[in-house]
Amino acid sequence: MSDAKNTLYYGDNLDILRRYIADESVDLVYLDPPFKSDQNYNVLFAEQDGSRSAAQVQAFEDTWRWDESAAQAWQETVEMGGKVSDALRAFRMFLGDSDMLAYLSMMAPRLVELRRVLKVTGSIYLHCDPTASHYLKMLLDSVFGPKNFRNEITWKRRVGFSSAVHESNRFGICTDIILFYAASDEAKFHPQYNLDSPEYQQYIKERFTMVEAVSGRQFQATSLVNPAYRPNLIYDYKGYKSPPNGWMITKEKMEQWDADGKLHFPPDKNKRIRRKSFADELRGMPIQNLWVDVPEINARAAERLGYPTQKPEALLERIILASSNEGDTVLDPFCGCGTTISTAQRLNRQWIGIDVTSLAISLIKNRLRDAFGESVKYDVIGEPVDLAGAIALAEQDKYQFQWWALGLVEARPVEQKKGADRGIDGRIVFHDDAESSKTKQIIISVKGGNTNVKDIRELTAVVDREQAQIGVLITLHQPTRPMTQEAAGAGFYESPWDGKRRQKIQVLTIEDLLSGKTIDMPPRVDIRTFKRAPKAKKKAADRQQGLGFQD
């Protein structure tokens, strides 16, 4: 077990946490565990008979169902004793053997491990659905202690629309809950501010009504009168009489502020000298526990990558800046498309990401490359690195093998859910014609089992049906001679980019790909299979500096 930094782990986060992440090695945890909020409310709380086989469970997103696996997780955690055990036993008495209990049973041991890896100065932010937030809060109380609860943050993620817009029996839902807990009283926290909120702009408009003639800076003139009598601070200055109680500052300080242009001298010397408080020196409105200024990612947003539960980087930026320092380690055990990872990298934090799907790991690799180029260095642990590992993955889960293999050639899966694929496992789109904007494509088929010439013929038919330019069969085993002959007989694609003829149907083995061989295709000019993540931009440091919001 180590405290490795900048690492992507492929696998079940409970196993990864126990095997790889050291005690008190993480400064900040953010997690957004999957929860099927669109599921019928009554089904979530309906008792189940537990007969569903654990073998049906393919990924964490399925393990919230009450089955043998969930029952075992409940039992193991209860047998550990302590407050978490008490909470789970109480949940079972109240909820029965329901899918909601399964969700809590799967979350409990993971939260225990996250508590273990957090430093005493660390914090955890759990992003959740309002349907489960109150149960998760009780579970977090049992893990971290009620005294370490800091905030229940409400994030308004939608404006003018909700998932219940067509329902007549409840108000629409436009918010998520983020539960914020500290590891101890020593946890670091940096207040955050918003310069752009309507309330702050109105405050500036109403209070900062004066403008310097030369600089054009807005300011308000604040009192320098001492509220209590201080004889040592009674002095006249530039013809302005001292207040009866004296000034708030010494004469030396008054001279310094005068030299710095921080004093306002009224034309009438019977009035008091006042201090200039400049609007551009304030940080903005202090952020409270209602976040209405971070919109969800819309369909046209540059950072949108097509991942269904993707969160905006602005949301993670606020959390990371509030509860960590540069160089600290940020952990996301459900890292999805990598928003936490990308934001942590941009803000000069170390990071650890864990996900149970190869699809997510592939998305994150592409996102990091697009945003940071070759400057970002990290390790990937858990993915196959040789043929034996690939065979083991194919035997364990054919869908994960398929996603992993597609990631080797940077192809996008046709869909993220299991189901009929009509002979297409992945696609690569490209443009190689300067005189035409037509999008061209490569069709990918992945086979983890035995293959024969029939697979080549089926791929050729799919390529013709889809009017694709190239078809690629990725296979775990070596192709037979009839297969290579059939592929060779399918003809060629001639690219207008360079005039080169490329085999229309290509066969690549996993060994080929692991040794560095790849698809013979036109140069990767304007070719984006995964939607390109925007280049990372550093945020202005001065937004985190200044005098703060003053009244």
Side-chain angles (χ1 to χ4, degrees), residues 384-393 404 475-478 510-511 514:
V385 294
D386 54 26
L387 184 59
I391 293 172
L393 179 60
W404 169 73
T475 173
L476 189 58
H477 304 290
Q478 291 295 325
I510 293 298
E511 279 190 302
L514 290 175

Side-chain angles (χ1 to χ4, degrees), residues 369-530:
R369 185 191 64 238
D370 290 342
F372 305 100
E374 301 301 321
S375 66
V376 58
K377 305 298 181 183
Y378 60 94
D379 295 322
V380 180
I381 296 176
E383 284 194 320
V385 294
D386 54 26
L387 184 59
I391 293 172
L393 179 60
E395 292 175 348
Q396 174 189 344
D397 189 321
K398 67 177 183 179
Y399 295 104
Q400 297 296 343
F401 170 77
Q402 175 181 299
W403 289 334
W404 169 73
L406 292 170
L408 294 178
V409 295
E410 299 182 17
R412 175 178 284 279
V414 291
E415 56 185 87
Q416 295 181 15
K417 296 184 178 180
K418 309 167 184 66
D421 55 26
R422 302 186 69 219
I424 306 172
D425 294 321
R427 299 178 192 265
I428 296 176
V429 298
F430 66 95
H431 302 84
D432 66 345
D433 190 345
E435 298 180 0
S436 172
S437 60
K438 178 183 178 182
T439 298
K440 301 180 182 180
Q441 63 175 325
I442 299 171
I443 300 296
I444 314 290
S445 177
V446 180
K447 301 294 183 185
N450 293 324
T451 53
N452 56 48
V453 71
K454 178 184 176 183
D455 297 303
I456 300 295
R457 291 169 182 160
E458 290 178 349
L459 176 59
T460 303
V462 172
V463 169
D464 291 340
R465 184 192 72 207
E466 298 292 318
Q467 298 182 355
Q469 282 63 45
I470 296 174
V472 178
L473 176 66
I474 298 177
T475 173
L476 189 58
H477 304 290
Q478 291 295 325
T480 64
R481 184 175 179 82
M483 290 173 65
T484 58
Q485 291 176 336
E486 185 74 20
F492 297 89
Y493 166 67
E494 184 173 332
S495 171
W497 177 266
D498 56 9
K500 182 179 177 181
R501 299 174 75 208
R502 294 173 171 85
Q503 200 166 321
K504 182 177 180 180
I505 301 298
Q506 302 175 25
V507 181
L508 290 170
T509 67
I510 293 298
E511 279 190 302
D512 289 334
L513 297 175
L514 290 175
S515 66
K517 188 175 180 180
T518 189
I519 300 170
D520 184 12
M521 60 182 292
R524 291 178 176 267
V525 178
D526 194 29
I527 298 173
R528 297 312 309 166
T529 299
F530 294 99

Side-chain angles (χ1 to χ4, degrees), residues 3-232:
D3 56 350
K5 308 293 177 14
N6 282 12
T7 306
L8 286 177
Y9 291 93
Y10 163 58
D12 185 315
N13 52 28
L14 183 58
D15 177 60
I16 297 297
L17 287 165
R18 289 171 173 172
R19 290 175 58 193
Y20 294 103
I21 314 302
D23 294 355
E24 298 187 18
S25 61
V26 172
D27 297 281
L28 172 62
V29 173
Y30 169 85
L31 66 158
D32 182 14
F35 185 81
K36 296 185 178 179
S37 58
D38 58 345
Q39 178 73 355
N40 183 281
Y41 183 86
N42 293 325
V43 173
L44 288 172
F45 296 91
E47 292 201 27
Q48 309 292 336
D49 61 14
S51 62
R52 289 178 288 210
S53 170
Q56 293 176 302
V57 177
Q58 299 294 329
F60 185 88
E61 66 179 6
D62 297 319
T63 63
W64 67 296
R65 301 181 65 179
W66 184 260
D67 56 16
E68 294 174 10
S69 178
Q72 182 179 356
W74 182 90
Q75 186 69 31
E76 290 176 355
T77 307
V78 165
E79 289 176 355
M80 292 170 57
K83 294 294 185 182
V84 180
S85 173
D86 294 342
L88 280 187
R89 287 189 287 109
F91 284 146
R92 192 166 192 176
M93 290 180 62
F94 178 67
L95 298 170
D97 294 345
S98 62
D99 286 342
M100 180 60 76
L101 178 64
Y103 180 73
L104 298 170
S105 298
M106 291 296 177
M107 285 302 303
R110 288 164 172 82
L111 291 174
V112 170
E113 289 301 312
L114 293 172
R115 175 66 183 86
R116 176 185 63 80
V117 305
L118 264 184
K119 297 178 182 178
V120 294
T121 55
S123 300
I124 183 171
Y125 290 75
L126 195 161
H127 195 138
C128 55
D129 185 280
T131 309
S133 61
H134 46 305
Y135 299 118
L136 288 169
K137 186 177 180 182
M138 294 175 68
L139 193 55
L140 284 163
D141 277 349
S142 71
V143 175
F144 289 86
K147 68 183 181 65
N148 288 318
F149 169 72
R150 292 294 179 265
N151 286 109
E152 179 175 306
I153 299 163
T154 300
W155 173 43
K156 184 179 180 182
R157 56 186 169 84
R158 292 177 174 172
V159 178
F161 174 78
S162 81
S163 57
V165 69
H166 298 302
E167 298 180 20
S168 59
N169 62 350
R170 63 170 178 170
F171 294 108
I173 300 172
C174 64
T175 61
D176 281 359
I177 300 298
I178 302 174
L179 299 172
F180 168 28
Y181 280 73
S184 72
D185 289 339
E186 300 177 44
K188 61 193 71 172
F189 182 76
H190 312 293
Q192 299 297 296
Y193 303 89
N194 183 1
L195 284 168
D196 302 318
S197 72
E199 295 87 355
Y200 178 69
Q201 295 301 321
Q202 184 64 27
Y203 171 84
I204 295 297
K205 182 179 179 180
E206 292 177 353
R207 301 291 186 91
F208 291 77
T209 56
M210 308 180 80
V211 179
E212 280 191 333
V214 177
S215 69
R217 298 173 71 190
Q218 288 180 264
F219 70 92
Q220 65 171 337
T222 58
S223 175
L224 283 174
V225 175
N226 205 311
Y229 179 68
R230 296 287 300 276
N232 61 315

Side-chain angles (χ1 to χ4, degrees), residues 309-376:
T309 58
Q310 182 180 351
K311 300 301 185 292
E313 285 202 8
L315 186 73
L316 272 299
E317 180 176 297
R318 176 168 295 170
I319 291 171
I320 291 171
L321 289 174
S323 292
S324 71
N325 298 327
E326 288 195 11
D328 283 354
T329 300
V330 179
L331 166 65
D332 187 341
F334 299 92
C335 58
C337 66
T339 299
T340 304
I341 304 307
S342 180
T343 309
Q345 177 68 31
R346 177 167 54 81
L347 297 175
N348 298 320
R349 271 66 171 174
Q350 301 290 326
W351 50 261
I352 299 171
I354 310 172
D355 205 274
V356 75
T357 70
S358 286
L359 174 63
I361 301 301
S362 293
L363 282 168
I364 296 170
K365 288 178 181 177
N366 281 275
R367 183 172 190 170
L368 290 173
R369 185 191 64 238
D370 290 342
F372 305 100
E374 301 301 321
S375 66
V376 58

Side-chain angles (χ1 to χ4, degrees), residues 210-212 219-222 224 235-241 247 249 251 253-278:
M210 308 180 80
V211 179
E212 280 191 333
F219 70 92
Q220 65 171 337
T222 58
L224 283 174
Y235 58 88
D236 295 346
Y237 188 76
K238 287 189 173 181
Y240 291 86
K241 297 292 184 181
W247 303 102
I249 55 177
K251 187 173 183 179
K253 190 72 171 179
M254 184 78 80
E255 291 171 343
Q256 180 63 54
W257 282 12
D258 189 4
D260 293 341
K262 293 183 178 180
L263 297 180
H264 172 66
F265 297 93
D268 184 353
K269 292 200 172 184
N270 290 319
K271 295 184 178 180
R272 307 293 184 199
I273 302 171
R274 299 175 73 86
R275 177 191 176 185
K276 292 180 182 178
S277 294
F278 291 98

